[in-house]
Amino acid sequence: MPTDLPERLQHYIGGEHVDSADGATFEVLDPVSNETYLHAAAGKQADVDRAVAAARRAFEKGPWPQLLPRERSRVLHRVADIVESRDARLAELESFDSGLPITQALGQARRAAENFRFFADLVVAQTDDAYKVPGRQINYVNRKPIGVAGLITPWNTPFMLESWKLGPALATGNTVVLKPAEFTPLSASLWAGIFEEAGLPVGVFNLVHGIGEEAGDALVKHPDVPLVSFTGESRTGQLIFANAAPHLKGLSMELGGKSPAVVFADADLGAAIDATIFGVFSLNGERCTAGSRILVQREIYDEFVERYAAQASRVVVGPPHEPATEVGALVHPEHYEKVMGYIELGRTEARLVAGGGRPEGFPTGNYVAPTVFADVPPDARIFQEEIFGPVVAITPFDTDEEALALANGVRYGLAAYVWTNDLRRAHTFAQALDVGMVWLNSNNVRDLRTPFGGVKASGLGHEGGYRSIDFYTHQQAVHVTLGEAHHPTFGKGH
């Protein structure tokens, strides 16, 4: 257990750490022991109202929205410096709270700092269009922050995903209310001190802990929150869409995934196996872009399954804090039961070739052995439904057309991975995929300038690069007449 853990977590509203208005709390569990290690304030409508009021006051009367982009950028760079300097401590807390392997949690902490640096630089470099009619008119675009941004984040890689929303929301001059996932609130509680040290004005950042159905719901429905960015499961996204509709809020929602990895017979088999092992078992399999369906061409199918199952069996499961661990403990006993339920279902739908339950030597905790099912039919639930754990389904195909039908034959459309040495096939196949992002002969390695988002049940809208700037700003068109106004004249008779 990390040293100096708090006994309780409070909200952070208007620059103050406060309890819930009704004094309510909820328990936070350690995923290794499943024992309560702290209590967090359970926010409800009254707490969200107070946080939104503080954020709105800071937006309407505070300096933050009026600062030059360079001045906001300096604050965000200081945030990045602080995060970077504390990456080991952040990783320690994140690993303990979420069950992520410590080495992977460290990478997420460093990525959080990079997110702030990226948007701090981008907002300074931002340019907008001007349209000229020589001698007659000039038209230009004026970007304005929108107001209070409601940010609702998930429990997988929580600190990094919070930074992914906080960075652009703050860079563009908005104020925010963050509602972190109730399973993993620990690292979110560090933002208040980081922002204070970096010099963020009071009220610009506010944090309300709580259950999604209470605090999250109140934030989505609040009339003074004009935009909401949400990352989480698709069913919750549907509820948010419905609850935001009466207020016509701006929405950005990155939802679930059941991403295919398509391996053709001409692929570099060793590279494809390494990448697809990492793609589904890293972050404990609790990642939206996991390549959890592997489609393999028939000519190499048997060899692929044999080598993949053997390598998956060698993936190191262990305590999250140990550097050698590659798969740690799942985040919460509720989620553990869900994943184990899918594994039992999979035994009736396909051929189990690796894993299949609790690994040896771990009688307690939310540990799941990396699990591989082969010969998975496309109508199987383990093929169609998001499991969000260290479980993969492998399915054969014969032709490009069959591979495409299998890849697109689910309700999700977040990411896809294509492995082939045929350049023409790679590009044409990628363009035919119903997904928001495609990696060709690559693991999930992102350029922060590119759009991030999915189609179908995987999301609404895109963030990343200038798309994030677009989401968090109004684009106001200003038209200036340079010469005599040209318009029809009414009301003067003939």
Side-chain angles (χ1 to χ4, degrees):
M1 181 177 292
T3 58
D4 301 324
L5 281 178
E7 294 182 359
R8 64 188 183 119
L9 297 180
Q10 296 176 291
H11 310 305
Y12 182 75
I13 299 174
E16 298 180 347
H17 295 275
V18 296
D19 292 325
S20 293
D22 63 359
T25 63
F26 63 93
E27 296 181 342
V28 183
L29 308 183
D30 155 22
V32 170
S33 69
N34 284 329
E35 295 180 356
T36 301
Y37 75 91
L38 62 76
H39 288 79
K44 297 185 179 66
Q45 183 73 57
D47 307 294
V48 170
D49 287 347
R50 182 178 174 186
V52 172
R56 186 177 181 185
R57 190 162 53 248
F59 184 78
E60 294 177 347
K61 299 180 179 179
W64 187 250
Q66 309 305 324
L67 294 179
L68 293 174
R70 173 65 69 187
E71 295 174 309
R72 292 198 297 268
S73 176
R74 291 191 183 102
V75 175
L76 298 189
H77 272 294
R78 288 197 291 271
V79 171
D81 290 341
I82 296 167
V83 171
E84 214 167 47
S85 70
R86 299 175 187 171
D87 57 358
R89 175 62 172 172
L90 287 167
E92 180 186 33
L93 297 180
E94 190 90 311
S95 178
F96 173 77
D97 196 31
S98 69
L100 290 176
I102 185 69
T103 53
Q104 296 170 41
L106 183 61
Q108 297 300 313
R110 292 170 178 167
R111 167 67 185 280
E114 183 60 26
N115 285 338
F116 271 91
R117 289 203 194 286
F118 175 81
F119 287 109
D121 290 338
L122 188 64
V123 75
V124 173
Q126 170 73 38
T127 59
D128 285 300
D129 296 320
Y131 308 91
K132 301 176 183 177
V133 183
R136 295 179 62 181
Q137 191 179 53
I138 183 170
N139 314 279
Y140 63 90
V141 175
N142 179 37
R143 283 188 185 267
K144 303 167 67 175
I146 294 174
V148 180
L151 311 179
I152 303 176
T153 52
W155 45 256
N156 62 319
T157 64
F159 192 81
M160 188 280 288
L161 287 173
E162 289 152 11
S163 74
W164 177 242
K165 299 180 187 299
L166 288 165
L170 296 175
T172 49
N174 298 283
T175 59
V176 303
V177 177
L178 170 66
K179 207 300 283 185
E182 56 265 34
F183 284 177
T184 55
L186 182 59
S187 60
S189 66
L190 301 176
W191 284 117
I194 291 170
F195 287 133
E196 285 181 0
E197 189 173 335
L200 192 72
V202 170
V204 173
F205 169 77
N206 302 273
L207 168 68
V208 177
H209 295 290
I211 309 302
E213 293 83 353
E214 296 174 344
D217 186 65
L219 186 58
V220 168
K221 293 177 179 176
H222 202 290
D224 292 333
V225 178
L227 72 168
V228 174
S229 178
F230 169 75
T231 300
E233 64 176 1
S234 299
R235 287 173 298 177
T236 306
Q238 291 172 321
L239 292 173
I240 289 175
F241 190 92
N243 290 334
H247 302 283
L248 299 176
K249 294 175 184 282
L251 289 178
S252 176
M253 298 195 292
E254 192 261 289
L255 307 176
K258 192 70 176 178
S259 301
V262 185
V263 184
F264 289 95
D266 65 346
D268 180 333
L269 198 56
I273 289 172
D274 283 345
T276 50
I277 288 277
F278 180 83
V280 76
F281 298 130
S282 58
L283 305 180
N284 297 346
E286 298 166 329
R287 59 187 304 163
C288 52
T289 55
S292 54
R293 294 182 298 137
I294 305 179
L295 313 177
V296 184
Q297 201 155 23
R298 187 87 57 182
E299 296 95 302
I300 59 169
Y301 180 77
D302 290 340
E303 180 185 358
F304 184 95
V305 170
E306 181 180 356
R307 290 174 59 178
Y308 191 96
Q311 190 162 328
S313 299
R314 295 192 296 270
V315 170
V316 179
V317 179
H321 68 276
E322 292 186 359
T325 293
E326 295 171 327
V327 171
L330 300 190
V331 67
H332 192 275
E334 287 182 16
H335 186 59
Y336 172 82
E337 292 300 330
K338 172 193 169 185
V339 172
M340 291 297 284
Y342 273 109
I343 290 174
E344 292 308 306
L345 175 66
R347 292 176 182 273
T348 70
E349 295 183 319
R351 176 166 60 100
L352 179 67
V353 294
R358 181 180 289 279
E360 292 184 9
F362 295 92
T364 60
N366 305 322
Y367 292 102
V368 176
T371 297
V372 182
F373 289 102
D375 310 339
V376 181
D379 60 349
R381 286 181 60 191
I382 62 169
F383 186 95
Q384 292 287 331
E385 299 176 17
E386 185 178 40
I387 299 173
F388 217 65
V391 182
V392 67
I394 307 179
T395 300
F397 69 88
D398 291 296
T399 65
D400 290 32
E401 293 74 18
E402 184 185 3
L404 184 63
L406 289 169
N408 289 339
V410 298
R411 63 191 291 257
Y412 298 101
L414 186 58
Y417 308 85
V418 180
W419 291 87
T420 178
N421 283 315
D422 184 327
L423 184 62
R424 179 181 296 177
R425 168 195 274 159
H427 288 287
T428 56
F429 196 89
Q431 291 178 35
L433 287 164
D434 290 335
V435 298
M437 300 170 287
V438 183
W439 280 267
L440 302 178
N441 297 319
S442 170
N443 174 40
N444 182 339
V445 179
R446 286 201 59 238
D447 184 322
L448 295 180
R449 295 171 295 180
T450 59
F452 187 98
V455 299
K456 301 192 290 190
S458 287
L460 176 72
H462 289 78
E463 295 187 42
Y466 287 121
R467 281 80 178 178
S468 292
I469 304 297
D470 288 342
F471 176 68
Y472 288 106
T473 57
H474 286 307
Q475 298 176 58
Q476 179 190 61
V478 180
H479 308 276
V480 182
T481 298
L482 300 178
E484 183 180 351
H486 296 275
H487 52 74
T489 302
F490 281 18
K492 290 191 175 181
H494 298 287

